[in-house]
Amino acid sequence: MGQYLDDLWSDLEQTWDLAMKVNDLPETERGDPNQSWSDHFKSNELVDVDRTEAEKNAGNTVTKVFCKNIYGIQYNNETKYWVPFRHGEVDVVKFSED
């Protein structure tokens, strides 16, 4: 694999690890998105705090946590788990440059 793909993979793994820190908690703790935000995600250096707070939903609840990389973590209300999502662009040209 090229360096660009390695970096994308590393970013995704870091984001997934962040999600798992909360997903490993009992449902009573991870089931409140705002509590997860304030107690676990907000202080993490990987998290883009300003963008996350600007993107709160209509109920002023954090349901998406944006990371400083191209990934983030979204709360799934049905499963009560946080799952990664991609919010940034992938540069397909860089795949062939490595």
Side-chain angles (χ1 to χ4, degrees):
M1 280 191 279
Q3 187 60 47
Y4 181 70
L5 185 56
D6 288 344
D7 291 344
L8 287 176
W9 188 256
S10 176
D11 287 347
L12 179 58
E13 285 180 327
Q14 289 175 26
T15 304
W16 186 252
D17 288 345
L18 179 61
M20 290 310 297
K21 287 180 183 177
V22 174
N23 287 339
D24 286 341
L25 297 172
E27 185 178 330
T28 55
E29 290 184 54
R30 73 171 186 273
D32 179 353
N34 281 333
Q35 182 179 356
S36 295
W37 167 244
S38 62
D39 292 355
H40 302 285
F41 295 129
K42 190 174 184 177
S43 62
N44 190 284
E45 64 186 30
L46 184 62
V47 172
D48 184 338
V49 174
D50 293 334
R51 180 166 183 192
T52 299
E53 290 186 338
E55 302 268 349
K56 288 181 180 177
N57 70 14
N60 206 30
T61 301
V62 172
T63 56
K64 289 185 175 182
V65 175
F66 291 85
C67 294
K68 295 174 184 172
N69 57 38
I70 66 170
Y71 300 104
I73 305 164
Q74 181 172 359
Y75 184 71
N76 182 312
N77 198 42
E78 290 180 23
T79 64
K80 307 292 188 224
Y81 284 103
W82 292 86
V83 293
F85 72 96
R86 183 176 55 85
H87 63 80
E89 296 298 320
V90 173
D91 187 347
V92 292
V93 174
K94 287 188 178 181
F95 283 107
S96 61
E97 292 176 354
D98 287 340

